[in-house]
Amino acid sequence: MTDSARPIVPRTTADAEADLALVQAVLAGAPGAFERLLRQYQGLCWHIVDRMVRHPEDTRELCQEAFLRVHRYLHQYRSESPLKAWIGQVAYSVAKRHLERRRIPLAEAPDGGDGMALAESVGQDFDLEAAWAEDEALGHLHAAIETLPPLQRTLLTLYHLDEVPIGEIAAMTGLAEGTIKSHLFRSRRQLRAVLEPRIGVVA
């Protein structure tokens, strides 16, 4: 599914007001406010960090670090962007620094192709959602996703399985939308190469 084909639900005034109200409550020290923020976004944080590092104990510690940073820097949040994207950016940054400290490559090296040409081809590769929907393919698909480098694994699951729009992923990661599309293209191509001989996935 291409990003243009995926319906993008605009951020409503009510959503923006809810984000701002929660942030203001936390900053004011309202009882239970930070716990409410934690409950609302801990799943997002865990998903991003876990997809990056793939180690439960490290994920747990890094999520704790991420929410400590959220609490410390929440006063810097600007309501022009969704709180979800801002917290996702914190989680991504914490996981990225962890991998860099361990000298774990974030992504495969570019293959020398034209990034914009790849971006234009994102929607023309095999249908990941359809492959995911086939029960007998679940094990193969999960194993294939695990072979991807951390960044590409995270981008792929955010976009295709969590259906996060590319614009929001860009806000979380700081990557240009064209760069994200290029990573998605390479990831889908790699998955196709792994899955095609096993379950007959075709482009």
Side-chain angles (χ1 to χ4, degrees), residues 13-88:
T13 301
D15 290 337
E17 290 176 349
D19 282 349
L20 187 58
L22 179 56
V23 169
Q24 290 175 338
V26 173
L27 293 177
F34 187 73
E35 288 75 11
R36 188 163 73 252
L37 181 148
L38 181 63
R39 287 194 302 271
Q40 189 168 339
Y41 294 108
Q42 62 184 355
L44 171 70
C45 182
W46 180 276
H47 183 94
I48 292 173
V49 174
D50 182 56
R51 281 297 176 186
M52 292 284 282
V53 306
R54 303 310 287 155
H55 188 285
E57 190 59 37
D58 287 346
T59 297
R60 188 174 298 108
E61 292 179 2
L62 292 170
C63 283
Q64 291 174 356
E65 179 183 343
F67 277 107
L68 285 174
R69 293 182 66 82
V70 166
H71 192 275
R72 183 181 305 164
Y73 296 108
L74 192 59
H75 65 281
Q76 297 181 359
Y77 168 72
R78 297 295 176 263
S79 59
E80 290 82 5
S81 62
L83 184 58
K84 172 185 175 182
W86 189 83
I87 291 176

Side-chain angles (χ1 to χ4, degrees), residues 25-168:
V26 173
L27 293 177
F34 187 73
E35 288 75 11
R36 188 163 73 252
L37 181 148
L38 181 63
R39 287 194 302 271
Q40 189 168 339
Y41 294 108
Q42 62 184 355
L44 171 70
C45 182
W46 180 276
H47 183 94
I48 292 173
V49 174
D50 182 56
R51 281 297 176 186
M52 292 284 282
V53 306
R54 303 310 287 155
H55 188 285
E57 190 59 37
D58 287 346
T59 297
R60 188 174 298 108
E61 292 179 2
L62 292 170
C63 283
Q64 291 174 356
E65 179 183 343
F67 277 107
L68 285 174
R69 293 182 66 82
V70 166
H71 192 275
R72 183 181 305 164
Y73 296 108
L74 192 59
H75 65 281
Q76 297 181 359
Y77 168 72
R78 297 295 176 263
S79 59
E80 290 82 5
S81 62
L83 184 58
K84 172 185 175 182
W86 189 83
I87 291 176
Q89 181 182 33
V90 174
Y92 172 80
S93 297
V94 167
K96 181 172 179 284
R97 282 196 303 272
H98 172 79
L99 294 177
E100 289 172 342
R101 285 195 300 267
R102 297 195 173 192
R103 298 183 179 179
I104 298 174
L106 291 176
E108 66 179 5
D111 56 11
D114 183 344
M116 290 310 297
L118 294 179
E120 292 169 358
S121 302
V122 166
Q124 299 172 13
D125 213 342
F126 82 92
D127 190 336
L128 182 64
E129 292 91 338
W132 183 263
E134 295 292 335
D135 289 343
E136 65 271 20
L138 285 176
H140 292 304
L141 180 59
H142 179 75
I145 289 174
E146 291 302 311
T147 68
L148 296 172
L151 177 60
Q152 288 157 338
R153 182 171 60 229
T154 303
L155 296 178
L156 188 87
T157 54
L158 282 173
Y159 181 70
H160 284 289
L161 304 183
D162 294 334
E163 297 191 344
V164 178
I166 284 180
E168 285 191 22

